């Protein structure tokens, strides 16, 4: 698969924009601020975005650069993978999930530690207020949540409401075991949700 690489920040300092009309997937490993690449791309067919943050000081610039890329490209992502070991990662991904261009997400993979803040954000409220209304597959890294929070979020996304999608797959790589969650997961699994914890 072809790769786009920026070896030096000086390579992308020009005001030019590169339009790649057929690129549907972009994977980025950030060792330097993402704006050195993202600010110069237009990707109208982009459906999948994966980012791994490898250096802490790249993060804040990435949020605005990603928002600008999605706006400039006029695309709506269907899959988003976010991997960041830093402490503020949950706050950053929460901000990104509020982008209108991510409202079409079908698959979300968050590989860093998730707490009640992210789980509460993903919990479906009333139909007009729900974030990620088309979400069908959710993959989480280490979940450190209060008792019942994880299962309550899954339960809130169980049924179709006003053409809002139902969560079909929930995978949690590691979690703080709570018997209440386990009981609810068993019920959801019996009803057809693919749950792997």
């Amino acid at each position: 698969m072809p790769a786009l690489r920026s070896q030096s920040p000086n390579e992308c300092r020009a005001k030019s924009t590169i339009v790649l009309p057929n690129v549907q997937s972009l994977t980025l490993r950030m060792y330097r601020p993402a704006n050195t690449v993202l600010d110069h791309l237009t990707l109208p067919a982009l459906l999948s975005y994966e980012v791994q943050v490898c250096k802490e000081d790249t993060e804040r610039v990435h949020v605005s650069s990603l928002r600008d890329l999605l706006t400039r490209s006029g695309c709506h992502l269907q899959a988003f993978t976010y991997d960041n070991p830093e402490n503020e990662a949950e706050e950053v991904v929460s901000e990104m999930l509020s982008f209108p261009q991510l409202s079409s997400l079908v698959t979300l993979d968050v590989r860093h530690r998730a707490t009640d803040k992210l789980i509460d954000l993903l919990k479906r409220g009333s139909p007009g207020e729900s974030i990620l209304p088309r979400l069908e597959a959710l993959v989480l890294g280490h979940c450190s949540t209060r008792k019942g929070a994880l299962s309550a979020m899954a339960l809130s996304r169980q049924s179709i409401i006003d053409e809002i999608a139902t969560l079909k797959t929930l995978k949690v790589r590691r979690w703080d075991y709570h018997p209440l969650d386990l009981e609810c997961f068993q019920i959801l699994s019996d009803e057809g949700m693919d749950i792997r914890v």
Side-chain angles (χ1 to χ4, degrees), residues 4 6 8-20 33-43 65 68-69 72-73:
L4 176 64
S6 173
S8 161
N10 297 329
E11 291 179 19
C12 292
R13 292 217 192 261
K15 298 268 185 212
S16 63
T17 299
I18 301 167
V19 178
L20 300 171
N35 66 328
T36 60
V37 174
L38 295 183
D39 288 353
H40 301 280
L41 293 176
T42 299
L43 308 171
S65 291
D68 293 346
L69 167 71
R72 182 174 54 254
S73 299

Side-chain angles (χ1 to χ4, degrees), residues 33-116:
N35 66 328
T36 60
V37 174
L38 295 183
D39 288 353
H40 301 280
L41 293 176
T42 299
L43 308 171
L46 189 65
L47 297 173
S48 175
Y49 182 74
E50 178 179 343
V51 63
Q52 179 182 18
V53 179
C54 301
K55 188 175 179 187
E56 182 178 352
D57 63 350
T58 61
E59 192 57 29
R60 293 314 308 168
V61 170
H62 179 238
V63 174
S64 60
S65 291
L66 177 60
R67 181 185 305 115
D68 293 346
L69 167 71
L70 296 174
T71 301
R72 182 174 54 254
S73 299
C75 60
H76 293 273
L77 296 181
Q78 292 180 4
F80 180 59
T81 300
Y82 185 74
D83 186 1
N84 183 350
E86 301 300 328
N87 291 335
E88 71 279 352
E90 187 173 47
E91 187 172 314
V92 172
V93 78
S94 295
E95 182 179 349
M96 289 178 180
L97 292 178
S98 70
F99 295 173
Q101 298 88 346
L102 270 65
S103 65
S104 55
L105 277 184
V106 175
T107 303
L108 174 63
D109 184 348
V110 179
R111 297 183 180 171
H112 60 77
R113 183 173 175 265
T115 66
D116 290 329

Side-chain angles (χ1 to χ4, degrees), residues 155-173:
L155 191 60
S156 76
R157 290 185 168 271
Q158 176 190 20
S159 58
I160 297 175
I161 303 170
D162 295 335
E163 298 183 30
I164 295 176
T166 181
L167 188 64
K168 296 176 183 172
T169 303
L170 173 63
K171 179 180 177 185
V172 182
R173 291 182 178 94

